[in-house]
Each structure stands twice: as C-alpha cells, then as structure tokens.
Amino acid sequence: MNEQSQLAEEHGVSGTPKRGLVMSTLVFFAGLTTIVFYGAAGPILEEHLALAGVLHGLLLASPHLSKAVLRIPFGAWVDEVGGKKPTLILMASTLIGTAGLVITLFLTYPENFTMELYPLLVLFGLLAGAGGATFSTGITQTSYWYPRDKQGFALGAFAGVGNIGPGMVVYVLPVLIGIWGMTMAYSVWLVFLLVVAAIYAVYAVDPYYFQLRKQGKRPDEAQQTADELGQDIFPSGGCGTRCEPRRRIVVRGFSCSSIRCLSAADSRPCRRGSRPTGNSSTSCLSPRRAS
C-alpha cells in the first residue's frame, strides 16, 4: 500500500482518478444515448401516430429539451454535493421515462398505439432525455478528480468515448427493431440503462473533497486534506498547492471546474505554494492583479 492509499484510508475516503473517469464516462455514454430516444424509431412512430410535421418534430426533440434545461442546474449542483447524487437522479429520470415507454408499448403496440398516447410519449421523452445532462455532472466530476496537467487527457477521454453512445444506438436500434420488434428493442435498451446505472451506483464515488465534506469537515479542512491526497481543483475557484501560474477568471456563483472561469471582476493567477484561505472567490491569492 503506497503513502497516498494509506492517507486515504486514514481519512476514510476512497476512489482514484482512474475509477472516477471510468464511472463518469460509462454513465455519460449510457445517458447520452437517450437524445435519440425516438430518432431511430421515428418513421414507425410517424406512421402509427399519423403525426404532422410540427408534432413529429416536438416528439423527436423532447429528449433534447430536457437535456438542455437540466445541464446547467445539475452541473452547478455538483459543486455543492459532488457528482454522484445529481447523476443518479438524472439516470433515475431516464429509467422512469424509458420504462414508461416500454410498458406503454407492451400494453398498446401495435393495435392500440394511437395519437391518444402522444402527450404521454412526449412526457416519456422529456424524462428520458435527462440522461443527456450527465455530460455536465460527469465532466465536472472528472475535472475535480484530475490534476491540472492531466485535464486534457481526462476530459478528452470522457467526452470522446461518451459521445459515441447516440451514434451506436442509431445503428443498433433499427436492427433490433427489425429482428425483435419495437417493444423488445426498447426493452433491451432499458436493461442496458438499468445495468449501467446500477454499476455507477455501486462503484462510483465523489472526489475526496466532497467525501470529506460529507464526513462533517469544514470546507477549509476538507480542501487541505484533499489537496494532500492529490486533488487539484475545488469548488468556487479553490486550488491546491500544486497550482501552476495561470490566468483564471471568476464568475460569481460558478466554479472554475464547471465553466473554467473565475471572477470577471477580480481575475488573479494562481501561484505555486499558495494556500487556500477558504474564501470561495479568492482561494488562490496573488499580490498583483492580472493584466
């Protein structure tokens, strides 16, 4: 057992950056597939529901609407509680929407699958589309796990692998529909989402800072301990002792890990050896103002 593992055990925290990246990427891969929730089955839905252009477009776009609306609040929420809880809530919504569609298909498809079900289908699309917002929770959580000099690799791997999901569904789902029919095809999709959500719930852990905060430690204590464990980035612009000189801009109420900016009114570079003070907007202090 190395020194960092011993320190983590001493403070009652678990997890590694690699584990955090794998879990965040896996759940993002699965969650983002729901942006094409109705896309692959679009022609079948249009035929059975006799949809006009606007209604057809609204049905196909319903997952995108919820994804777009939920990304900002859930991404910001990660800075308060860590990424696991917001991600699980998003996946729970996705599972409810997908399960609702599967049950509806079992009960009504194809004989009674009519326009009367349209409002319900839009609702299921909105619920399922919440999975697309795992991008904002996952990328923020990944950023907290990795030090600054490895952010490019970590975030690139997260986004690169995660974004493959919708493309795979567009190719695979029509094949499954052709073999087993639409009901069984969506059932397979539901099982896949359920398995991924269960794996994430069991194995994912929040970065050290959030684990320590849940233990009741004060923000400055949690930040100092997490810094010793190797965490580089903290909520509301805090940074550890490994900060290299670089420009950061703070936008009040948002964290650098979420939007990569800190304070429009008060931009200051981080210095090596600077110690966080606990002030959310000026955790890394510099005696001079950045030009």
Side-chain angles (χ1 to χ4, degrees), residues 220 223-224 227 234 238-241 274-279 282-284:
D220 56 337
Q223 185 167 324
Q224 182 174 347
D227 181 31
F234 301 92
C239 59
T241 58
S274 58
R275 174 61 61 181
T277 64
N279 187 313
T282 58
S283 296
C284 285

Side-chain angles (χ1 to χ4, degrees), residues 209-226:
Y209 172 83
F210 299 102
Q211 294 184 55
L212 293 165
R213 289 286 290 127
K214 289 173 184 176
Q215 294 176 12
K217 292 186 180 293
R218 298 194 310 270
D220 56 337
E221 292 178 331
Q223 185 167 324
Q224 182 174 347
T225 303

Side-chain angles (χ1 to χ4, degrees), residues 82-107:
K84 186 172 182 178
K85 182 177 180 180
T87 299
L88 286 175
I89 291 175
L90 291 172
M91 288 304 294
S93 174
T94 295
L95 289 170
I96 292 171
T98 308
L101 177 62
V102 169
I103 292 171
T104 301
L105 289 172
F106 267 112
L107 295 176

Side-chain angles (χ1 to χ4, degrees), residues 115-195:
M115 188 60 185
E116 294 178 357
L117 297 172
Y118 181 81
L120 197 58
L121 296 178
V122 172
L123 175 62
F124 292 151
L126 291 170
L127 290 171
T134 55
F135 171 80
S136 62
T137 60
I139 203 165
T140 307
Q141 174 141 315
T142 299
S143 184
Y144 281 134
W145 267 118
Y146 276 84
R148 183 186 66 85
D149 57 350
K150 295 183 180 179
Q151 291 279 309
F153 161 76
L155 299 181
F158 170 83
V161 175
N163 276 287
I164 297 173
M168 291 186 64
V169 168
V170 167
Y171 281 105
V172 172
L173 191 65
V175 175
L176 296 181
I177 290 175
I179 297 173
W180 292 330
M182 192 159 71
T183 302
M184 288 306 300
Y186 274 93
S187 298
V188 171
W189 195 353
L190 173 61
V191 171
F192 167 68
L193 292 171
L194 184 60
V195 169

